[in-house]
Amino acid sequence: YLTAHPLDDYRVEINSFCSRDASLTDINNDIEKYIDKDFTFGGMVTAAREGTSKNGNPYSTLTMSDYTDSKEFFFFGQDYVNFHKYCKPGLFVLVKGAVRTRYKSEFYEFKVSQIELLSEVKKNYVKSVTVNLPLDKLNESLIDEINTLTQNNVGNALLKFNVYDPENNMQVQMFSRTIKVNFSNDLLKF
């Protein structure tokens, strides 16, 4: 990519909610090493296909790419019913699953157990946001800035504050009883 990777808009979600101990490259190259381990990957659907098997049942495939590699997933039966709606190129998805023995085989596969849109991850998983404030920077202007920021990012996450004084090694933790926020990129940049 010439300017930025398409997944860069979801870097926070990928860094916060995806597995750190294995990547798609690791699963592709040495799947036996990860037998019975659960993983979460975030990526972009780069290819998808639907078809009918030899016995007349529908199936779909989804190829997901992350920063390291790509992987094709196959969905048959109930998995087709649950996941075929995510088999659309251009979607950004969070995929959860585990390395299991393939159906009627001695080989292993990454078996998908859940898929959701990356755009919904912050809303679904972030329950609170903590703003760390050094005591010497706390002033009326900063409070006004926080107030404006929270009014522009109303959501469902509990808003917490950690005011700390590094000189005296003290801190006070508080939370807002009236304001809940949406964990947006604006709030993250603050």
Side-chain angles (χ1 to χ4, degrees):
Y1 299 97
L2 292 176
T3 55
H5 195 283
L7 288 173
D8 286 349
D9 289 342
Y10 299 101
R11 190 173 294 276
V12 170
E13 292 86 343
I14 291 169
N15 290 340
S16 301
F17 299 104
C18 292
S19 302
R20 297 174 188 259
D21 48 343
S23 66
L24 289 180
T25 299
D26 298 325
I27 298 297
N28 285 335
N29 293 338
D30 195 12
I31 196 165
E32 289 85 12
K33 181 178 175 183
Y34 301 103
I35 297 169
D36 293 329
K37 293 189 179 173
D38 296 326
F39 296 104
T40 302
F41 299 111
M44 181 172 83
V45 178
T46 54
R49 175 169 54 99
E50 291 208 17
T52 305
S53 66
K54 293 178 202 171
N55 57 9
N57 294 324
Y59 72 90
S60 61
T61 68
L62 173 155
T63 302
M64 183 180 86
S65 298
D66 67 5
Y67 287 109
T68 66
D69 208 345
S70 62
K71 178 104 180 116
E72 186 174 30
F73 303 104
F74 294 84
F75 304 114
F76 300 94
Q78 191 61 41
D79 288 342
Y80 170 80
V81 173
N82 294 337
F83 304 130
H84 82 279
K85 61 187 170 234
Y86 297 103
C87 296
K88 293 178 177 47
L91 286 182
F92 295 93
V93 294
L94 185 81
V95 175
K96 295 181 180 184
V99 175
R100 303 276 190 248
T101 306
R102 189 175 292 160
Y103 181 69
K104 293 184 178 180
S105 171
E106 70 274 2
F107 296 104
Y108 296 98
E109 69 176 342
F110 180 81
K111 178 75 170 150
V112 175
S113 60
Q114 182 180 346
I115 300 178
E116 57 191 297
L117 297 175
L118 269 173
S119 60
E120 299 294 308
V121 168
K122 281 193 253 185
K123 183 178 77 177
N124 294 339
Y125 293 104
V126 175
K127 303 301 177 201
S128 68
V129 175
T130 302
V131 178
N132 292 308
L133 299 168
L135 184 60
D136 61 337
K137 302 283 189 230
L138 196 56
N139 57 39
E140 194 72 33
S141 172
L142 183 64
I143 292 170
D144 288 342
E145 188 179 345
I146 292 170
N147 192 33
T148 301
L149 195 58
T150 58
Q151 288 176 357
N152 292 336
N153 292 284
V154 175
N156 294 319
L158 184 64
L159 179 61
K160 297 179 180 181
F161 296 96
N162 181 39
V163 180
Y164 63 93
D165 181 2
E167 288 181 24
N168 297 318
N169 198 23
M170 296 177 68
Q171 65 181 5
V172 176
Q173 296 175 343
M174 303 174 276
F175 68 94
S176 173
R177 294 180 194 274
T178 57
I179 298 172
K180 293 197 174 194
V181 295
N182 174 31
F183 186 58
S184 67
N185 288 335
D186 291 338
L187 199 58
L188 183 64
K189 290 174 188 170
F190 179 78

